[in-house]
Amino acid sequence: MNLKHHFASLGEAFSSKTLVQPLLEQRLVEFNQSLASFLSIDIKSTETKRILSGEDALPHSLSMVYAGHQFGGFSPQLGDGRGVLLGEVRGQDGLLYDLHMKGAGPTPYSRRGDGRAVLRSCIREYLASEAMTALSIPSSRALALYDSREAVYRETPEAGAMLLRVAQGHIRFGHFEYFFYQGKQAELDQLIEYCLTHYYPECLAAESPLESMLIEVVKRTARIMAKWQSVGFQHGVMNTDNFSFTGETIDYGPYGFMEDYEPDWVCNHSDHEGRYAFSRQPGVGLWNLNCLMRCFSKHLERDQLIAILQCYEPELQSHYDVLMMSKMGLDSAQDVYALLPSLLSILASEKMDYNVFFRLLSRLEQGVYTPILDEVVDREKMSVWLERYEAVRVKSVHAWSQVNASMLTVNPKFILRNYLAHEAILSAERGDYLPFRRLLHVLTHPFDEHPESDSLAQRSPEWGRSLEVSCSS
Ligand code: AMP
Ligand code: MG
């Protein structure tokens, strides 16, 4: 394994040397072979195993320091309270990827926390990050999962675990806020240079490399918001310390995938005000970017920063339009505008399962509405909408069956329902990882039929809907 330490070379202002502290009777219980191959990591070699799991100390492993706006309030110093960056490796695409162990033990930034993660949260992050990847949403990935016999105390004692995750970068909006609000100009400049060199080298040739990079960050953030909205993903803790400068979904905590369509849904039980409710996510994305732009107020003029932020909305809207065009099998954004608002209003009043609906729509035959009508109370209203939809669809230059076939490649049959994660977790806590693997398999191939796993595509049972997730992990 060719581990590099570019971030470590930035120096002490950016991080603290931190070793992974293995857990009691730690076991490697799951690893991602295809990701390991992509990163040229021979995960089965004894030497690699010892390095990754923390049994052999890595001289340059570290925890990062950053700040962040948490639920609207500024925290001047946060950091990896339970994560250790082992280093970077090059992927087969030529890009560098961070290897980051979550739950690795106390760090200088742990504050009152124990630096640990529980098996429950590691499994939730493993499943979500791989499911998001399969849905073509930029995300951190899961490379390996370790369980242990170490008790970690939350509301009750739970099994401690570690998750080895991979992302292009772990630099957060909050990294910039950390230096900006302390007036540390030299370090801020160093960080800008680092990001340009490692993540946005194509911007170096621009007249203003910083401006060019920030436009790209704004656009990546806009696209990721569009993607979350299109699949019904809710992050749950959209603080600026959880927002990645490389435009990846990171830090999976009390997230949720929408089941019944409910625009005001709040998945995080600790988010009492609904600050990060589903329908608010695109606005929060812009709010967070606004926090980020402030950090460059000594580098760029106010008007320039505003102009950069103004790239957000059109990018988000146009990307969302494209995504919804393919989900609905429509040829133009105009068609989406004509049909989507009324559809969403029906889905909301019917409390219909968002993903089940789009999967059914992908199988709709001309004039045969029963499979969808059987799912709703107000058949008349849905019927009227389906007639309008069909009238638009038949004008397409593409054959009906061909459009249906392509809709089936973007509307997943399998989505990570909270209760499925819950069941996989209960089994794993008893040492049985089969339900986890079975679920992982369908989530990583969510558009395939997998008839043997039909039960995993069903709506949640009543008990499964009332499960609560919160920040405690
Ligand atoms: P989050 O919003 O879950 O990403 O976490 C917010 C901050 O709390 C981050 O700086 C984490 O590193 C830190 N944190 C969360 N859980 C723990 C823990 N068990 N021990 C130490 N720090 C933690
Ligand atoms: Mg975080």
Side-chain angles (χ1 to χ4, degrees), residues 165-433:
R165 63 184 187 180
V166 174
Q168 266 196 56
H170 283 84
I171 294 183
R172 300 138 193 278
F173 290 9
H175 272 88
F176 294 89
E177 295 181 292
Y178 176 72
F179 294 115
F180 174 73
Y181 285 102
Q182 289 182 80
K184 291 193 172 166
Q185 190 71 20
E187 285 83 357
L188 192 56
D189 289 342
Q190 224 185 322
L191 190 59
I192 293 171
E193 200 56 41
Y194 183 86
C195 290
L196 275 166
T197 313
H198 291 282
Y199 303 125
Y200 295 94
E202 67 284 3
C203 299
L204 283 165
E207 199 181 315
S208 165
L210 174 60
E211 187 176 11
S212 164
M213 172 166 74
L214 294 177
I215 291 174
E216 187 51 31
V217 174
V218 166
K219 289 188 175 174
R220 284 191 195 183
T221 308
R223 289 198 292 269
I224 217 172
M225 290 305 112
K227 288 185 202 305
W228 289 3
Q229 297 310 108
S230 76
V231 300
F233 173 77
Q234 193 180 148
H235 184 282
V237 194
M238 293 173 72
N239 296 334
T240 56
D241 52 299
N242 290 339
F243 254 54
S244 120
F245 195 72
T246 36
E248 296 162 279
T249 311
I250 55 165
D251 283 18
Y252 292 92
Y255 66 81
F257 285 85
M258 176 104 82
E259 298 188 42
D260 295 348
Y261 182 73
E262 224 185 297
D264 298 327
W265 177 50
V266 181
C267 62
N268 178 0
H269 198 66
S270 319
D271 181 5
H272 305 294
E273 290 168 9
R275 181 180 174 88
Y276 298 141
F278 179 72
S279 57
R280 289 189 168 166
Q281 294 190 131
V284 176
L286 181 58
W287 195 92
N288 288 349
L289 284 165
N290 199 73
C291 291
L292 177 67
M293 290 309 139
R294 190 174 276 265
C295 303
F296 308 106
S297 49
K298 295 222 166 68
H299 296 84
L300 298 170
E301 297 297 329
R302 188 170 182 275
D303 288 350
Q304 282 176 297
L305 294 171
I306 291 174
I308 294 169
L309 284 170
Q310 279 169 344
C311 299
Y312 181 75
E313 203 179 322
E315 185 72 15
L316 189 143
Q317 186 67 53
S318 59
H319 195 59
Y320 183 72
D321 291 347
V322 169
L323 294 168
M324 294 317 287
M325 275 162 62
S326 29
K327 275 183 91 65
M328 298 175 80
L330 300 172
D331 289 341
S332 77
Q334 294 315 318
D335 293 342
V336 173
Y337 301 153
L339 290 163
L340 185 60
S342 48
L343 171 64
L344 292 180
S345 134
I346 297 175
L347 296 185
S349 61
E350 291 286 344
K351 294 207 183 311
M352 171 128 193
D353 188 290
Y354 182 76
N355 283 290
V356 166
F357 174 81
F358 281 104
R359 191 75 182 178
L360 285 173
L361 192 67
S362 317
R363 297 195 170 286
L364 188 74
E365 288 173 34
Q366 267 178 281
V368 187
Y369 303 159
T370 342
I372 291 182
L373 295 184
D374 286 351
E375 299 288 327
V376 298
V377 177
D378 192 340
R379 296 173 73 97
E380 178 58 28
K381 207 170 187 181
M382 183 54 105
S383 209
V384 170
W385 186 86
L386 287 168
E387 275 165 23
R388 284 178 50 219
Y389 172 74
E390 183 174 334
V392 174
R393 275 275 305 267
V394 290
K395 287 193 209 136
S396 170
V397 291
H398 306 288
W400 187 281
S401 60
Q402 194 191 338
V403 174
N404 277 14
S406 71
M407 287 168 75
L408 286 168
T409 67
V410 292
N411 290 315
K413 172 169 177 178
F414 298 92
I415 201 83
L416 180 49
R417 294 174 193 280
N418 204 16
Y419 93 98
L420 292 173
H422 179 78
E423 288 185 330
I425 290 164
L426 290 183
S427 297
E429 286 174 342
R430 291 191 299 264
D432 175 10
Y433 283 86

Side-chain angles (χ1 to χ4, degrees), residues 4-259:
K4 304 190 186 322
H5 300 283
H6 294 293
F7 191 86
S9 70
L10 277 171
E12 286 174 6
F14 295 82
S15 60
S16 298
K17 278 191 177 183
T18 311
L19 298 178
V20 172
Q21 296 168 47
L23 291 154
L24 191 68
E25 292 183 44
Q26 175 176 297
R27 299 186 307 171
L28 173 63
V29 280
E30 184 71 23
F31 65 87
N32 189 334
Q33 184 56 59
S34 67
L35 181 58
S37 308
F38 173 76
L39 299 171
S40 309
I41 295 176
D42 177 9
I43 205 148
K44 288 180 192 148
S45 97
T46 312
E47 189 203 343
T48 307
K49 265 191 185 163
R50 291 185 61 84
I51 290 177
L52 294 179
S53 65
E55 287 155 83
D56 283 349
L58 270 174
H60 301 295
S61 63
L62 57 86
S63 47
M64 292 171 155
V65 63
Y66 45 85
H69 277 86
Q70 299 184 301
F71 291 91
F74 184 59
S75 304
Q77 198 209 285
L78 298 164
D80 293 331
R82 52 170 169 170
V84 169
L85 178 69
L86 305 180
E88 304 100 18
V89 284
R90 204 166 287 286
Q92 276 167 13
D93 56 2
L95 299 175
L96 278 176
Y97 289 87
D98 283 357
L99 292 186
H100 185 106
M101 187 70 94
K102 187 163 178 177
T107 80
Y109 315 110
S110 296
R111 295 172 290 170
R112 287 184 298 279
D114 56 9
R116 290 302 184 189
V118 294
L119 183 59
R120 164 174 59 91
S121 68
C122 291
I123 286 189
R124 280 177 53 84
E125 177 153 350
Y126 199 124
L127 292 170
S129 61
E130 291 305 300
M132 293 286 269
T133 303
L135 294 169
S136 303
I137 303 180
S139 171
S140 62
R141 305 281 313 268
L143 181 60
L145 172 69
Y146 301 84
D147 74 2
S148 79
R149 294 178 67 83
E150 190 157 323
V152 168
Y153 295 89
R154 296 294 179 259
E155 277 89 12
T156 53
E158 291 193 45
M162 296 201 296
L163 181 72
L164 182 55
R165 63 184 187 180
V166 174
Q168 266 196 56
H170 283 84
I171 294 183
R172 300 138 193 278
F173 290 9
H175 272 88
F176 294 89
E177 295 181 292
Y178 176 72
F179 294 115
F180 174 73
Y181 285 102
Q182 289 182 80
K184 291 193 172 166
Q185 190 71 20
E187 285 83 357
L188 192 56
D189 289 342
Q190 224 185 322
L191 190 59
I192 293 171
E193 200 56 41
Y194 183 86
C195 290
L196 275 166
T197 313
H198 291 282
Y199 303 125
Y200 295 94
E202 67 284 3
C203 299
L204 283 165
E207 199 181 315
S208 165
L210 174 60
E211 187 176 11
S212 164
M213 172 166 74
L214 294 177
I215 291 174
E216 187 51 31
V217 174
V218 166
K219 289 188 175 174
R220 284 191 195 183
T221 308
R223 289 198 292 269
I224 217 172
M225 290 305 112
K227 288 185 202 305
W228 289 3
Q229 297 310 108
S230 76
V231 300
F233 173 77
Q234 193 180 148
H235 184 282
V237 194
M238 293 173 72
N239 296 334
T240 56
D241 52 299
N242 290 339
F243 254 54
S244 120
F245 195 72
T246 36
E248 296 162 279
T249 311
I250 55 165
D251 283 18
Y252 292 92
Y255 66 81
F257 285 85
M258 176 104 82
E259 298 188 42

